[in-house]
mmCIF file of all heavy atoms in Angstrom:
data_model
loop_
_atom_site.group_PDB
_atom_site.id
_atom_site.type_symbol
_atom_site.label_atom_id
_atom_site.label_comp_id
_atom_site.label_asym_id
_atom_site.label_seq_id
_atom_site.Cartn_x
_atom_site.Cartn_y
_atom_site.Cartn_z
ATOM 1 N N SER A 114 142.677 141.815 152.320
ATOM 2 C CA SER A 114 143.313 142.823 153.137
ATOM 3 C C SER A 114 143.579 144.029 152.331
ATOM 4 O O SER A 114 143.707 143.972 151.149
ATOM 5 C CB SER A 114 144.631 142.306 153.739
ATOM 6 O OG SER A 114 145.541 142.057 152.629
ATOM 7 N N PRO A 115 143.612 145.249 152.992
ATOM 8 C CA PRO A 115 143.227 145.458 154.399
ATOM 9 C C PRO A 115 141.656 145.371 154.618
ATOM 10 O O PRO A 115 140.916 145.287 153.644
ATOM 11 C CB PRO A 115 143.786 146.846 154.715
ATOM 12 C CG PRO A 115 143.572 147.590 153.412
ATOM 13 C CD PRO A 115 143.782 146.557 152.313
ATOM 14 N N TYR A 117 139.957 147.898 156.202
ATOM 15 C CA TYR A 117 139.579 149.272 155.829
ATOM 16 C C TYR A 117 140.716 149.953 155.010
ATOM 17 O O TYR A 117 141.927 149.741 155.379
ATOM 18 C CB TYR A 117 139.363 150.007 157.189
ATOM 19 C CG TYR A 117 138.224 149.435 158.075
ATOM 20 C CD1 TYR A 117 138.576 148.594 159.096
ATOM 21 C CD2 TYR A 117 136.902 149.735 157.741
ATOM 22 C CE1 TYR A 117 137.522 148.047 159.898
ATOM 23 C CE2 TYR A 117 135.933 149.159 158.560
ATOM 24 C CZ TYR A 117 136.252 148.359 159.594
ATOM 25 O OH TYR A 117 135.231 147.824 160.338
ATOM 26 N N LEU A 118 140.307 150.713 154.104
ATOM 27 C CA LEU A 118 141.323 151.386 153.268
ATOM 28 C C LEU A 118 140.780 152.809 152.928
ATOM 29 O O LEU A 118 139.555 152.994 152.647
ATOM 30 C CB LEU A 118 141.503 150.589 151.954
ATOM 31 C CG LEU A 118 142.638 151.099 150.992
ATOM 32 C CD1 LEU A 118 144.004 151.104 151.686
ATOM 33 C CD2 LEU A 118 142.653 150.143 149.876
ATOM 34 N N PHE A 119 141.715 153.763 152.948
ATOM 35 C CA PHE A 119 141.339 155.111 152.617
ATOM 36 C C PHE A 119 142.086 155.588 151.439
ATOM 37 O O PHE A 119 143.260 155.388 151.387
ATOM 38 C CB PHE A 119 141.591 156.145 153.836
ATOM 39 C CG PHE A 119 140.738 155.693 155.031
ATOM 40 C CD1 PHE A 119 141.204 154.814 155.983
ATOM 41 C CD2 PHE A 119 139.457 156.163 155.206
ATOM 42 C CE1 PHE A 119 140.436 154.399 157.096
ATOM 43 C CE2 PHE A 119 138.684 155.837 156.280
ATOM 44 C CZ PHE A 119 139.151 154.961 157.236
ATOM 45 N N ARG A 120 141.384 156.322 150.491
ATOM 46 C CA ARG A 120 142.081 156.736 149.351
ATOM 47 C C ARG A 120 141.964 158.214 149.230
ATOM 48 O O ARG A 120 141.009 158.845 149.425
ATOM 49 C CB ARG A 120 141.333 156.109 148.084
ATOM 50 C CG ARG A 120 142.117 156.313 146.775
ATOM 51 C CD ARG A 120 141.366 155.892 145.563
ATOM 52 N NE ARG A 120 140.594 157.111 145.038
ATOM 53 C CZ ARG A 120 140.089 157.135 143.805
ATOM 54 N NH1 ARG A 120 140.148 156.124 143.049
ATOM 55 N NH2 ARG A 120 139.412 158.183 143.397
ATOM 56 N N LYS A 121 143.099 158.803 148.816
ATOM 57 C CA LYS A 121 143.167 160.274 148.583
ATOM 58 C C LYS A 121 142.760 160.502 147.156
ATOM 59 O O LYS A 121 142.949 159.631 146.267
ATOM 60 C CB LYS A 121 144.599 160.772 148.896
ATOM 61 C CG LYS A 121 144.922 160.752 150.396
ATOM 62 C CD LYS A 121 146.389 161.272 150.588
ATOM 63 C CE LYS A 121 146.790 161.099 152.022
ATOM 64 N NZ LYS A 121 148.225 161.578 152.182
ATOM 65 N N GLU A 122 142.436 161.745 146.869
ATOM 66 C CA GLU A 122 142.081 162.166 145.500
ATOM 67 C C GLU A 122 143.241 161.872 144.574
ATOM 68 O O GLU A 122 144.429 162.157 144.908
ATOM 69 C CB GLU A 122 141.794 163.666 145.504
ATOM 70 C CG GLU A 122 141.017 164.178 144.281
ATOM 71 C CD GLU A 122 139.574 163.738 144.371
ATOM 72 O OE1 GLU A 122 138.925 163.704 145.481
ATOM 73 O OE2 GLU A 122 138.997 163.348 143.368
ATOM 74 N N GLY A 123 143.001 161.267 143.465
ATOM 75 C CA GLY A 123 143.997 161.024 142.432
ATOM 76 C C GLY A 123 144.964 159.857 142.715
ATOM 77 O O GLY A 123 145.878 159.573 141.990
ATOM 78 N N GLN A 124 144.654 159.097 143.779
ATOM 79 C CA GLN A 124 145.535 158.058 144.165
ATOM 80 C C GLN A 124 144.992 156.677 143.654
ATOM 81 O O GLN A 124 143.813 156.412 143.576
ATOM 82 C CB GLN A 124 145.618 157.973 145.654
ATOM 83 C CG GLN A 124 146.607 157.055 146.323
ATOM 84 C CD GLN A 124 146.473 157.098 147.809
ATOM 85 O OE1 GLN A 124 145.454 157.147 148.446
ATOM 86 N NE2 GLN A 124 147.660 157.034 148.460
ATOM 87 N N ASN A 125 145.924 155.784 143.293
ATOM 88 C CA ASN A 125 145.545 154.393 142.957
ATOM 89 C C ASN A 125 145.692 153.581 144.307
ATOM 90 O O ASN A 125 146.680 153.774 145.046
ATOM 91 C CB ASN A 125 146.455 153.764 141.896
ATOM 92 C CG ASN A 125 146.252 154.374 140.597
ATOM 93 O OD1 ASN A 125 145.311 155.195 140.324
ATOM 94 N ND2 ASN A 125 147.064 153.997 139.669
ATOM 95 N N VAL A 126 144.793 152.674 144.578
ATOM 96 C CA VAL A 126 145.030 151.785 145.695
ATOM 97 C C VAL A 126 144.767 150.328 145.304
ATOM 98 O O VAL A 126 143.957 150.080 144.317
ATOM 99 C CB VAL A 126 144.028 152.138 146.823
ATOM 100 C CG1 VAL A 126 144.428 153.421 147.520
ATOM 101 C CG2 VAL A 126 142.560 152.146 146.440
ATOM 102 N N THR A 127 145.416 149.416 146.003
ATOM 103 C CA THR A 127 145.270 148.008 145.609
ATOM 104 C C THR A 127 144.746 147.241 146.777
ATOM 105 O O THR A 127 145.211 147.304 147.838
ATOM 106 C CB THR A 127 146.661 147.394 145.146
ATOM 107 O OG1 THR A 127 147.086 148.140 143.951
ATOM 108 C CG2 THR A 127 146.571 145.930 144.844
ATOM 109 N N LEU A 128 143.743 146.482 146.462
ATOM 110 C CA LEU A 128 143.085 145.524 147.508
ATOM 111 C C LEU A 128 143.597 144.136 147.208
ATOM 112 O O LEU A 128 143.620 143.635 146.049
ATOM 113 C CB LEU A 128 141.566 145.515 147.325
ATOM 114 C CG LEU A 128 140.792 146.729 147.804
ATOM 115 C CD1 LEU A 128 141.178 148.048 147.136
ATOM 116 C CD2 LEU A 128 139.375 146.571 147.683
ATOM 117 N N SER A 129 144.017 143.430 148.294
ATOM 118 C CA SER A 129 144.575 142.158 148.151
ATOM 119 C C SER A 129 143.527 141.065 148.362
ATOM 120 O O SER A 129 142.597 141.201 149.191
ATOM 121 C CB SER A 129 145.663 141.986 149.200
ATOM 122 O OG SER A 129 146.099 140.650 149.319
ATOM 123 N N CYS A 130 143.660 139.954 147.610
ATOM 124 C CA CYS A 130 142.812 138.774 147.746
ATOM 125 C C CYS A 130 143.605 137.573 147.537
ATOM 126 O O CYS A 130 144.242 137.370 146.459
ATOM 127 C CB CYS A 130 141.618 138.822 146.809
ATOM 128 S SG CYS A 130 140.494 137.342 146.949
ATOM 129 N N TRP A 141 135.826 139.591 141.657
ATOM 130 C CA TRP A 141 135.742 140.768 142.498
ATOM 131 C C TRP A 141 134.385 141.423 142.341
ATOM 132 O O TRP A 141 133.873 141.576 141.162
ATOM 133 C CB TRP A 141 136.790 141.856 142.130
ATOM 134 C CG TRP A 141 138.125 141.660 142.811
ATOM 135 C CD1 TRP A 141 139.253 141.148 142.277
ATOM 136 C CD2 TRP A 141 138.398 141.944 144.177
ATOM 137 N NE1 TRP A 141 140.263 141.134 143.197
ATOM 138 C CE2 TRP A 141 139.809 141.700 144.467
ATOM 139 C CE3 TRP A 141 137.613 142.520 145.200
ATOM 140 C CZ2 TRP A 141 140.327 141.855 145.676
ATOM 141 C CZ3 TRP A 141 138.235 142.697 146.429
ATOM 142 C CH2 TRP A 141 139.588 142.352 146.624
ATOM 143 N N ILE A 153 132.806 143.136 139.165
ATOM 144 C CA ILE A 153 133.816 144.036 138.530
ATOM 145 C C ILE A 153 134.712 143.363 137.497
ATOM 146 O O ILE A 153 134.729 143.686 136.375
ATOM 147 C CB ILE A 153 134.744 144.670 139.684
ATOM 148 C CG1 ILE A 153 133.866 145.364 140.748
ATOM 149 C CG2 ILE A 153 135.730 145.660 139.066
ATOM 150 C CD1 ILE A 153 134.695 145.798 141.927
ATOM 151 N N GLY A 170 137.499 151.915 135.569
ATOM 152 C CA GLY A 170 138.134 152.524 136.754
ATOM 153 C C GLY A 170 138.839 151.493 137.647
ATOM 154 O O GLY A 170 139.375 151.864 138.651
ATOM 155 N N TYR A 171 138.820 150.292 137.229
ATOM 156 C CA TYR A 171 139.379 149.202 138.011
ATOM 157 C C TYR A 171 140.429 148.452 137.107
ATOM 158 O O TYR A 171 140.157 148.386 135.911
ATOM 159 C CB TYR A 171 138.392 148.190 138.525
ATOM 160 C CG TYR A 171 137.293 148.856 139.455
ATOM 161 C CD1 TYR A 171 136.066 149.201 139.026
ATOM 162 C CD2 TYR A 171 137.557 149.010 140.811
ATOM 163 C CE1 TYR A 171 135.116 149.781 139.772
ATOM 164 C CE2 TYR A 171 136.645 149.557 141.673
ATOM 165 C CZ TYR A 171 135.427 149.942 141.151
ATOM 166 O OH TYR A 171 134.442 150.475 141.940
ATOM 167 N N SER A 172 141.410 147.795 137.695
ATOM 168 C CA SER A 172 142.248 146.909 136.928
ATOM 169 C C SER A 172 142.600 145.636 137.926
ATOM 170 O O SER A 172 142.551 145.836 139.106
ATOM 171 C CB SER A 172 143.522 147.550 136.450
ATOM 172 O OG SER A 172 144.294 147.929 137.554
ATOM 173 N N VAL A 173 142.919 144.551 137.286
ATOM 174 C CA VAL A 173 143.293 143.368 138.042
ATOM 175 C C VAL A 173 144.473 142.649 137.359
ATOM 176 O O VAL A 173 144.866 143.021 136.230
ATOM 177 C CB VAL A 173 142.111 142.303 138.104
ATOM 178 C CG1 VAL A 173 140.902 142.866 138.910
ATOM 179 C CG2 VAL A 173 141.685 141.917 136.702
ATOM 180 N N SER A 174 144.982 141.720 138.025
ATOM 181 C CA SER A 174 146.024 140.790 137.507
ATOM 182 C C SER A 174 145.832 139.435 138.125
ATOM 183 O O SER A 174 145.224 139.221 139.157
ATOM 184 C CB SER A 174 147.481 141.261 137.830
ATOM 185 O OG SER A 174 147.633 141.308 139.220
ATOM 186 N N PHE A 181 144.523 137.399 143.433
ATOM 187 C CA PHE A 181 143.803 138.092 142.446
ATOM 188 C C PHE A 181 143.623 139.577 142.979
ATOM 189 O O PHE A 181 142.574 140.022 143.372
ATOM 190 C CB PHE A 181 142.491 137.491 142.224
ATOM 191 C CG PHE A 181 141.630 137.975 141.085
ATOM 192 C CD1 PHE A 181 142.243 138.340 139.834
ATOM 193 C CD2 PHE A 181 140.302 138.093 141.104
ATOM 194 C CE1 PHE A 181 141.485 138.685 138.758
ATOM 195 C CE2 PHE A 181 139.493 138.563 140.067
ATOM 196 C CZ PHE A 181 140.116 138.797 138.908
ATOM 197 N N PRO A 182 144.644 140.352 142.924
ATOM 198 C CA PRO A 182 144.556 141.784 143.425
ATOM 199 C C PRO A 182 143.741 142.688 142.554
ATOM 200 O O PRO A 182 143.813 142.552 141.308
ATOM 201 C CB PRO A 182 146.038 142.273 143.542
ATOM 202 C CG PRO A 182 146.758 141.403 142.527
ATOM 203 C CD PRO A 182 146.029 140.083 142.462
ATOM 204 N N LEU A 183 143.071 143.584 143.188
ATOM 205 C CA LEU A 183 142.204 144.616 142.471
ATOM 206 C C LEU A 183 142.812 146.003 142.720
ATOM 207 O O LEU A 183 143.009 146.399 143.913
ATOM 208 C CB LEU A 183 140.754 144.548 143.055
ATOM 209 C CG LEU A 183 139.852 145.659 142.561
ATOM 210 C CD1 LEU A 183 139.416 145.359 141.110
ATOM 211 C CD2 LEU A 183 138.623 145.751 143.407
ATOM 212 N N THR A 184 143.061 146.736 141.658
ATOM 213 C CA THR A 184 143.486 148.107 141.803
ATOM 214 C C THR A 184 142.387 149.038 141.510
ATOM 215 O O THR A 184 141.740 148.886 140.414
ATOM 216 C CB THR A 184 144.682 148.402 140.942
ATOM 217 O OG1 THR A 184 145.816 147.606 141.337
ATOM 218 C CG2 THR A 184 145.127 149.859 140.972
ATOM 219 N N VAL A 185 142.006 149.958 142.346
ATOM 220 C CA VAL A 185 141.083 150.999 142.112
ATOM 221 C C VAL A 185 141.863 152.151 141.735
ATOM 222 O O VAL A 185 142.646 152.790 142.451
ATOM 223 C CB VAL A 185 140.264 151.291 143.449
ATOM 224 C CG1 VAL A 185 139.194 152.281 143.185
ATOM 225 C CG2 VAL A 185 139.725 150.054 144.041
ATOM 226 N N THR A 186 141.636 152.566 140.454
ATOM 227 C CA THR A 186 142.483 153.638 139.894
ATOM 228 C C THR A 186 141.818 155.009 140.160
ATOM 229 O O THR A 186 140.616 155.076 140.584
ATOM 230 C CB THR A 186 142.673 153.473 138.402
ATOM 231 O OG1 THR A 186 141.444 153.759 137.719
ATOM 232 C CG2 THR A 186 143.037 152.065 138.064
ATOM 233 N N SER A 187 142.589 156.011 139.864
ATOM 234 C CA SER A 187 142.048 157.407 140.013
ATOM 235 C C SER A 187 140.963 157.716 139.042
ATOM 236 O O SER A 187 140.163 158.666 139.254
ATOM 237 C CB SER A 187 143.189 158.460 139.856
ATOM 238 O OG SER A 187 143.829 158.279 138.595
ATOM 239 N N ALA A 188 140.775 156.898 138.077
ATOM 240 C CA ALA A 188 139.745 157.064 137.090
ATOM 241 C C ALA A 188 138.303 156.647 137.648
ATOM 242 O O ALA A 188 137.290 157.108 137.122
ATOM 243 C CB ALA A 188 139.978 156.215 135.853
ATOM 244 N N GLN A 189 138.367 155.913 138.735
ATOM 245 C CA GLN A 189 137.081 155.550 139.403
ATOM 246 C C GLN A 189 136.666 156.693 140.344
ATOM 247 O O GLN A 189 137.326 156.887 141.403
ATOM 248 C CB GLN A 189 137.258 154.278 140.170
ATOM 249 C CG GLN A 189 136.125 153.808 141.075
ATOM 250 C CD GLN A 189 134.791 153.895 140.387
ATOM 251 O OE1 GLN A 189 133.970 154.632 140.678
ATOM 252 N NE2 GLN A 189 134.611 152.946 139.342
ATOM 253 N N ASN A 191 133.951 157.381 141.978
ATOM 254 C CA ASN A 191 133.084 157.087 143.133
ATOM 255 C C ASN A 191 133.427 155.728 143.733
ATOM 256 O O ASN A 191 132.703 154.789 143.615
ATOM 257 C CB ASN A 191 131.541 157.143 142.681
ATOM 258 C CG ASN A 191 130.742 156.881 143.890
ATOM 259 O OD1 ASN A 191 130.994 157.105 145.061
ATOM 260 N ND2 ASN A 191 129.485 156.359 143.628
ATOM 261 N N PRO A 192 134.669 155.630 144.323
ATOM 262 C CA PRO A 192 135.178 154.375 144.782
ATOM 263 C C PRO A 192 134.654 153.880 146.153
ATOM 264 O O PRO A 192 134.818 152.728 146.581
ATOM 265 C CB PRO A 192 136.672 154.600 144.848
ATOM 266 C CG PRO A 192 136.792 155.952 145.200
ATOM 267 C CD PRO A 192 135.645 156.680 144.551
ATOM 268 N N THR A 193 133.974 154.699 146.893
ATOM 269 C CA THR A 193 133.551 154.383 148.233
ATOM 270 C C THR A 193 132.437 153.261 148.183
ATOM 271 O O THR A 193 131.465 153.390 147.593
ATOM 272 C CB THR A 193 132.929 155.589 148.916
ATOM 273 O OG1 THR A 193 133.900 156.655 149.076
ATOM 274 C CG2 THR A 193 132.390 155.201 150.283
ATOM 275 N N ALA A 194 132.844 152.118 148.716
ATOM 276 C CA ALA A 194 132.026 150.889 148.663
ATOM 277 C C ALA A 194 132.660 149.852 149.459
ATOM 278 O O ALA A 194 133.796 149.903 150.024
ATOM 279 C CB ALA A 194 131.807 150.469 147.206
ATOM 280 N N TYR A 196 134.089 146.045 149.072
ATOM 281 C CA TYR A 196 134.570 145.214 148.032
ATOM 282 C C TYR A 196 134.746 143.763 148.479
ATOM 283 O O TYR A 196 135.324 143.457 149.566
ATOM 284 C CB TYR A 196 135.957 145.730 147.485
ATOM 285 C CG TYR A 196 135.745 147.044 146.742
ATOM 286 C CD1 TYR A 196 135.740 148.293 147.453
ATOM 287 C CD2 TYR A 196 135.608 147.046 145.384
ATOM 288 C CE1 TYR A 196 135.588 149.479 146.784
ATOM 289 C CE2 TYR A 196 135.362 148.311 144.656
ATOM 290 C CZ TYR A 196 135.396 149.460 145.379
ATOM 291 O OH TYR A 196 135.198 150.625 144.702
ATOM 292 N N THR A 215 136.682 144.345 151.999
ATOM 293 C CA THR A 215 137.446 145.540 152.353
ATOM 294 C C THR A 215 136.521 146.707 152.111
ATOM 295 O O THR A 215 135.880 146.844 151.063
ATOM 296 C CB THR A 215 138.617 145.665 151.325
ATOM 297 O OG1 THR A 215 139.630 144.584 151.565
ATOM 298 C CG2 THR A 215 139.364 146.964 151.465
ATOM 299 N N ARG A 216 136.503 147.550 153.105
ATOM 300 C CA ARG A 216 135.652 148.759 153.003
ATOM 301 C C ARG A 216 136.617 149.901 152.563
ATOM 302 O O ARG A 216 137.533 150.285 153.299
ATOM 303 C CB ARG A 216 135.038 149.108 154.377
ATOM 304 C CG ARG A 216 133.962 150.194 154.174
ATOM 305 C CD ARG A 216 132.976 150.226 155.349
ATOM 306 N NE ARG A 216 132.232 148.978 155.529
ATOM 307 C CZ ARG A 216 131.105 148.723 154.829
ATOM 308 N NH1 ARG A 216 130.623 149.561 154.000
ATOM 309 N NH2 ARG A 216 130.457 147.583 155.161
ATOM 310 N N LEU A 217 136.325 150.498 151.392
ATOM 311 C CA LEU A 217 137.085 151.620 150.851
ATOM 312 C C LEU A 217 136.401 152.964 151.031
ATOM 313 O O LEU A 217 135.272 153.043 150.690
ATOM 314 C CB LEU A 217 137.412 151.374 149.472
ATOM 315 C CG LEU A 217 138.242 152.449 148.604
ATOM 316 C CD1 LEU A 217 139.573 152.644 149.236
ATOM 317 C CD2 LEU A 217 138.255 152.012 147.197
ATOM 318 N N SER A 218 137.057 153.935 151.478
ATOM 319 C CA SER A 218 136.505 155.217 151.718
ATOM 320 C C SER A 218 137.409 156.298 151.081
ATOM 321 O O SER A 218 138.662 156.003 151.011
ATOM 322 C CB SER A 218 136.282 155.615 153.122
ATOM 323 O OG SER A 218 135.480 154.629 153.778
ATOM 324 N N VAL A 219 136.884 157.361 150.645
ATOM 325 C CA VAL A 219 137.712 158.474 150.122
ATOM 326 C C VAL A 219 137.884 159.529 151.094
ATOM 327 O O VAL A 219 136.946 159.928 151.741
ATOM 328 C CB VAL A 219 136.971 159.054 148.888
ATOM 329 C CG1 VAL A 219 137.724 160.204 148.328
ATOM 330 C CG2 VAL A 219 136.759 157.992 147.789
ATOM 331 N N LEU A 220 139.153 159.982 151.278
ATOM 332 C CA LEU A 220 139.498 161.003 152.219
ATOM 333 C C LEU A 220 139.171 162.372 151.639
ATOM 334 O O LEU A 220 139.287 162.656 150.405
ATOM 335 C CB LEU A 220 140.942 161.028 152.583
ATOM 336 C CG LEU A 220 141.431 159.835 153.516
ATOM 337 C CD1 LEU A 220 142.929 159.881 153.651
ATOM 338 C CD2 LEU A 220 140.729 159.946 154.806
#
Side-chain angles (χ1 to χ4, degrees):
Chain A
S114 63
Y117 299 96
L118 187 57
F119 297 91
R120 194 191 88 166
K121 293 180 184 176
E122 200 71 41
Q124 188 182 39
N125 292 353
V126 291
T127 297
L128 285 61
S129 170
C130 179
W141 273 105
I153 305 172
Y171 300 97
S172 67
V173 293
S174 63
F181 191 41
L183 173 74
T184 296
V185 184
T186 74
S187 57
Q189 173 49 248
N191 182 23
T193 297
Y196 291 86
T215 292
R216 191 163 298 278
L217 175 62
S218 303
V219 177
L220 287 176

